Amino acid sequence: MTKKQKALEIIERLKKEYPVAECTLEYDEAWKLLVEVRLAAQCTDARVNIVVKDLYAKFPTVEALAKADVAEIEEIVKPCGLGHSKARDISACMKILHEKYNGHVPDDFDKLLALPGVGRKSANLIMGDIFGKPAIVTDTHCIRICNRLGLVDNVKEPKKVEMALWKIIPPEEGSDFCHRLVHHGRAVCTARTNPYCDKCCLYDVCKRNGV
């Protein structure tokens, strides 16, 4: 079985196991996902979803957040960790959206990468979830599970994993595939315990099983 063949089989099995493929960050506007994905660095989505309620209550628009004092933003978001740098990036990012893009999030990958605090993972998430464009989000779950499955070979650098996956994952499947890997990584192929291989829908196509 080639890596491409294995990838297609894994995609189909994950679709059956996790019919709903969506981001676990809660948002109703594109700019909010930009804010939340920055806060989610080294923090759980569940905590971010709680913290942003207070943030949006005080600063309900791009303009309001762009004009907010960084210290006020930091005070609210500090439970997510790295409060100072995250508040600084969010402030700078919202200023650019307000001043350059009329409050809208650009639908161009390179323009997203140019925003403060936005890396390839965040840009891909925005492209896939907001604009429905091909995307591969190489978060920790994606990197860990793709290595365990043998879709990539001992590659840990996010960009290298992303580039390798583009070669074997159909573009229209990438975004949902990565969301399903998050669900699988939390429930079965865990990081902090031994993976629950006995209940894994991918066991017989996994490198850990010699495949």
Side-chain angles (χ1 to χ4, degrees), residues 37-122:
V37 74
R38 180 66 186 96
L39 292 176
Q42 299 181 44
C43 181
T44 65
D45 289 0
R47 180 178 291 275
V48 171
N49 289 335
I50 293 170
V51 169
V52 293
K53 291 179 181 178
D54 290 337
L55 184 67
Y56 301 149
K58 190 164 187 177
F59 308 111
T61 64
V62 169
E63 183 177 3
L65 203 48
K67 293 180 177 179
D69 188 280
V70 175
E72 289 187 88
I73 299 173
E74 181 179 352
E75 183 63 27
I76 297 172
V77 305
K78 64 183 180 181
C80 295
L82 305 174
H84 182 68
S85 62
K86 290 180 179 180
R88 181 192 61 215
D89 286 342
I90 289 169
S91 175
C93 184
M94 293 301 109
K95 280 181 168 65
I96 293 174
L97 291 191
H98 176 57
E99 296 166 4
K100 187 174 182 178
Y101 296 111
N102 197 30
H104 299 294
V105 176
D107 63 349
D108 179 90
F109 189 80
D110 291 329
K111 289 179 180 178
L112 287 170
L113 279 183
L115 294 172
V118 177
R120 296 189 67 86
K121 182 180 76 171
S122 301

Side-chain angles (χ1 to χ4, degrees), residues 3-199:
K3 286 183 179 178
K4 195 163 191 176
Q5 290 171 327
K6 179 184 279 194
L8 293 175
E9 178 65 24
I10 288 168
I11 287 169
E12 291 309 309
R13 293 193 190 189
L14 289 177
K15 283 182 179 179
K16 293 177 182 177
E17 193 75 10
Y18 310 99
V20 178
E22 59 187 12
C23 182
T24 51
L25 292 169
E26 298 171 358
Y27 63 95
D28 55 11
E29 295 180 76
W31 67 270
K32 291 181 178 179
L33 182 56
L34 262 182
V35 169
E36 291 168 28
V37 74
R38 180 66 186 96
L39 292 176
Q42 299 181 44
C43 181
T44 65
D45 289 0
R47 180 178 291 275
V48 171
N49 289 335
I50 293 170
V51 169
V52 293
K53 291 179 181 178
D54 290 337
L55 184 67
Y56 301 149
K58 190 164 187 177
F59 308 111
T61 64
V62 169
E63 183 177 3
L65 203 48
K67 293 180 177 179
D69 188 280
V70 175
E72 289 187 88
I73 299 173
E74 181 179 352
E75 183 63 27
I76 297 172
V77 305
K78 64 183 180 181
C80 295
L82 305 174
H84 182 68
S85 62
K86 290 180 179 180
R88 181 192 61 215
D89 286 342
I90 289 169
S91 175
C93 184
M94 293 301 109
K95 280 181 168 65
I96 293 174
L97 291 191
H98 176 57
E99 296 166 4
K100 187 174 182 178
Y101 296 111
N102 197 30
H104 299 294
V105 176
D107 63 349
D108 179 90
F109 189 80
D110 291 329
K111 289 179 180 178
L112 287 170
L113 279 183
L115 294 172
V118 177
R120 296 189 67 86
K121 182 180 76 171
S122 301
N124 270 298
L125 182 64
I126 296 291
M127 292 298 285
D129 278 35
I130 299 298
F131 301 113
K133 296 187 177 183
I136 290 179
V137 182
T138 50
D139 68 353
T140 56
H141 294 292
C142 175
I143 294 169
R144 179 179 72 256
I145 295 172
C146 286
N147 272 282
R148 286 178 175 176
L149 289 170
L151 294 181
V152 297
D153 300 311
N154 198 31
V155 181
K156 301 299 173 64
E157 185 182 325
K159 184 177 180 180
K160 289 183 178 179
V161 173
E162 179 193 336
M163 295 300 110
L165 291 179
W166 278 120
K167 297 176 182 178
I168 59 174
I169 303 293
E172 69 277 9
E173 298 285 0
S175 182
D176 286 351
F177 169 69
C178 293
H179 282 318
R180 290 187 170 101
L181 287 182
V182 172
H183 295 313
H184 194 61
R186 289 173 178 165
V188 179
C189 199
T190 54
R192 298 188 180 183
T193 64
N194 288 326
Y196 300 100
C197 296
D198 58 321
K199 59 179 183 179

